[in-house]
Amino acid sequence: MSLYFDTKVSVESFVDMEADVTLRHEVDELNDRITLVFGRDEFVLLLGRETLECVVEAGRRALAQLSAAAVSEE
């Protein structure tokens, strides 16, 4: 999965986090965006409001799918 692709440049990234990784956020109200900081500043994610809404919604759908799978396994 390319995060950035140009004719000669491709940037790819993969992040795998354990449940106990610290997480903090900063809100930039003036620019309508947030910063999520994971661990000891090892991974930083900058998101605008619309992108944050997409990430949160994708997370909600993923949680619902995991919950449905757990119920069907019982």
Side-chain angles (χ1 to χ4, degrees), residues 3-34:
L3 296 176
Y4 174 80
F5 182 79
D6 197 351
T7 55
K8 296 182 181 182
V9 179
S10 177
V11 178
E12 298 185 19
S13 179
F14 180 83
V15 177
D16 185 10
M17 292 188 301
E18 299 294 327
D20 60 348
V21 171
T22 60
L23 168 66
R24 66 181 170 84
H25 71 278
E26 299 170 3
V27 177
D28 180 355
E29 294 173 0
L30 182 63
N31 294 305
D32 202 29
R33 60 187 217 176
I34 61 98

Side-chain angles (χ1 to χ4, degrees), residues 10-72:
S10 177
V11 178
E12 298 185 19
S13 179
F14 180 83
V15 177
D16 185 10
M17 292 188 301
E18 299 294 327
D20 60 348
V21 171
T22 60
L23 168 66
R24 66 181 170 84
H25 71 278
E26 299 170 3
V27 177
D28 180 355
E29 294 173 0
L30 182 63
N31 294 305
D32 202 29
R33 60 187 217 176
I34 61 98
T35 303
L36 297 176
V37 181
F38 303 85
R40 293 170 292 186
D41 297 352
E42 289 113 348
F43 181 70
V44 177
L45 183 61
L46 298 159
L47 300 170
R49 179 185 297 269
E50 290 178 8
T51 306
L52 175 62
E53 289 172 351
C54 291
V55 169
V56 169
E57 181 56 32
R60 284 188 185 128
R61 288 193 310 266
L63 283 171
Q65 187 174 352
L66 287 172
S67 294
V71 168
S72 68

